[in-house]
């Protein structure tokens, strides 16, 4: 399925729909502005859907794709921990995705995905 939060669409990356995409993570961060709650992630999900629909001529969003929307709820329901006031903040979400902010403001994968 296409429209992942931080992964490319299958046909837009020569079949690589599993590697971390720092540009997409940055888009998610900019949309959520550090608060990865239901409302902000819903806004970002809509943006990704519209982006994929516009850019991917082989766009696929079948019935099972709805599971991706449910999985996004893990970010704001299950991942926040007491170290950050149980808030789905940038520190929590970036550690889950293994995202690291570079000195030029871009994001990259740090090979350390973890459950907060």
């Amino acid at each position: 399925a296409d429209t992942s939060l931080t992964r490319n669409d299958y046909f837009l990356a020569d079949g690589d729909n599993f590697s971390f995409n720092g540009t997409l993570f940055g888009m998610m961060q900019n949309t959520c502005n550090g608060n990865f709650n239901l409302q902000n992630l819903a806004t970002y999900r809509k943006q990704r859907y519209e982006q994929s629909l516009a850019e991917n001529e082989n766009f696929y969003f079948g019935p099972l794709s709805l599971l991706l929307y449910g999985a996004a709820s893990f970010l704001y329901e299950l991942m926040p921990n007491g170290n950050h006031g149980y808030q789905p903040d940038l520190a929590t979400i970036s550690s889950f995705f293994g995202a690291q902010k570079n000195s030029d403001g871009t994001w990259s994968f740090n090979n350390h995905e973890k459950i907060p």
Side-chain angles (χ1 to χ4, degrees):
D2 295 322
T3 75
S4 170
L5 295 175
T6 61
R7 306 301 193 254
N8 294 314
D9 288 1
Y10 181 84
F11 286 105
L12 296 181
D14 297 321
D16 182 2
N17 61 348
F18 49 86
S19 296
F20 177 84
N21 180 319
T23 301
L24 293 178
F25 185 88
M27 288 171 51
M28 182 172 68
Q29 158 55 22
N30 291 341
T31 299
C32 294
N33 198 26
N35 183 6
F36 298 83
N37 63 13
L38 171 63
Q39 294 79 17
N40 292 340
L41 279 173
T43 299
Y44 179 61
R45 270 275 181 218
K46 183 175 187 288
Q47 291 171 352
R48 283 289 295 131
Y49 179 87
E50 291 171 351
Q51 178 187 26
S52 291
L53 191 59
E55 296 176 2
N56 185 351
E57 65 184 36
N58 295 300
F59 176 69
Y60 177 73
F61 194 83
L64 293 179
S65 300
L66 291 176
L67 294 175
L68 294 174
Y69 278 67
S73 69
F74 293 160
L75 297 178
Y76 54 84
E77 292 291 340
L78 299 176
M79 296 305 159
N81 63 51
N83 295 332
H84 297 276
Y86 297 99
Q87 297 300 311
D89 62 3
L90 180 59
T92 301
I93 301 307
S94 60
S95 70
F96 174 73
F97 282 104
Q100 172 181 306
K101 192 166 190 175
N102 303 314
S103 61
D104 64 359
T106 61
W107 292 89
S108 60
F109 182 59
N110 65 14
N111 294 310
H112 297 296
E113 298 165 302
K114 66 178 182 178
I115 296 176

